[in-house]
Amino acid sequence: MEKLLEKLEAILVKESDHHQDLLKTAVTFNEAIKAEDLQLIQNCTAMHDEQVYKIAKLEDERIECSSEIAVLLGIKDEFPKLNIILQKIPQVWQKRLSSVQAKLKQQIIEISKLNTSSQILLQDALSFINSNIAIYQQSSPNSIRYGGKGKATCALSGRNLINKVV
């Protein structure tokens, strides 16, 4: 049981570290949107995808480890929540794992706030782009006569112009 709890703690600490990296990426992504730096936005998106993948793998490990602990504790849930496990483990481990869990929750809240801010900024940018496209599309019928879409031939042929009597 001790080894499983140590393993769970190590997984949670790694997950917290990855969430901290994800938080830094979210801050950078938000700043890149504000600065309209497309290259940095693209880099942040790639880093974000990598970090989310790593976190997902750790989540799978955490669920597996939590399930093993739950079996030893007599918890019958297939995928027990960490709070349920925390209630049934020794007090020393409760404090250690609770502190890591609280840190993770705080990081997730911060990431969520930054993601919401970035989403709003991106929606505003897309709205601006859509309004510009709409303005361009509405002005098209008036500007058709100025483009190359007019008649392909001249109103008077060269022969008629030469043969005309002045």
Side-chain angles (χ1 to χ4, degrees):
M1 175 76 127
E2 268 315 289
K3 287 184 181 182
L4 285 174
L5 290 172
E6 288 174 4
K7 181 180 176 183
L8 180 60
E9 182 182 33
I11 291 169
L12 290 173
V13 168
K14 279 184 191 177
E15 197 174 335
S16 177
D17 293 342
H18 287 305
H19 274 88
Q20 189 62 39
D21 293 341
L22 188 61
L23 183 60
K24 290 176 186 173
T25 301
V27 168
T28 306
F29 183 67
N30 194 279
E31 291 170 358
I33 293 170
K34 290 175 185 174
E36 299 175 7
D37 186 347
L38 294 178
Q39 185 61 41
L40 187 56
I41 290 172
Q42 187 177 18
N43 292 343
C44 287
T45 303
M47 288 188 314
H48 179 270
D49 291 345
E50 264 182 50
Q51 291 163 344
V52 168
Y53 175 73
K54 290 176 183 177
I55 290 171
K57 284 177 61 177
L58 285 172
E59 281 289 317
D60 291 340
E61 287 180 38
R62 184 188 56 79
I63 290 170
E64 184 181 312
C65 186
S66 295
S67 296
E68 291 175 22
I69 293 170
V71 168
L72 293 174
L73 294 173
I75 300 171
K76 298 188 184 202
D77 291 341
E78 187 178 351
F79 302 109
K81 294 190 175 193
L82 189 56
N83 289 335
I84 295 172
I85 292 173
L86 288 175
Q87 293 172 0
K88 298 200 175 200
I89 59 175
Q91 189 71 24
V92 174
W93 283 104
Q94 282 180 3
K95 289 180 182 178
R96 289 170 66 174
L97 294 176
S98 293
S99 66
V100 177
Q101 182 189 31
K103 183 179 177 184
L104 263 171
K105 282 183 180 180
Q106 187 59 38
Q107 289 170 331
I108 291 169
I109 289 169
E110 290 298 316
I111 291 169
S112 178
K113 287 178 184 177
L114 284 166
N115 285 346
T116 302
S117 173
S118 295
Q119 181 182 5
I120 291 169
L121 289 170
L122 287 173
Q123 286 173 340
D124 286 347
L126 288 174
S127 174
F128 178 73
I129 291 168
N130 284 335
S131 66
N132 283 343
I133 289 172
I135 290 170
Y136 178 73
Q137 287 175 340
Q138 289 172 355
S139 67
S140 287
N142 295 335
S143 62
I144 286 177
R145 62 180 175 236
Y146 298 112
K149 295 182 180 179
K151 285 188 173 180
T153 60
C154 182
L156 298 172
S157 68
R159 180 182 168 126
N160 287 342
L161 185 61
I162 295 171
N163 293 336
K164 217 174 204 187
V165 178
V166 181

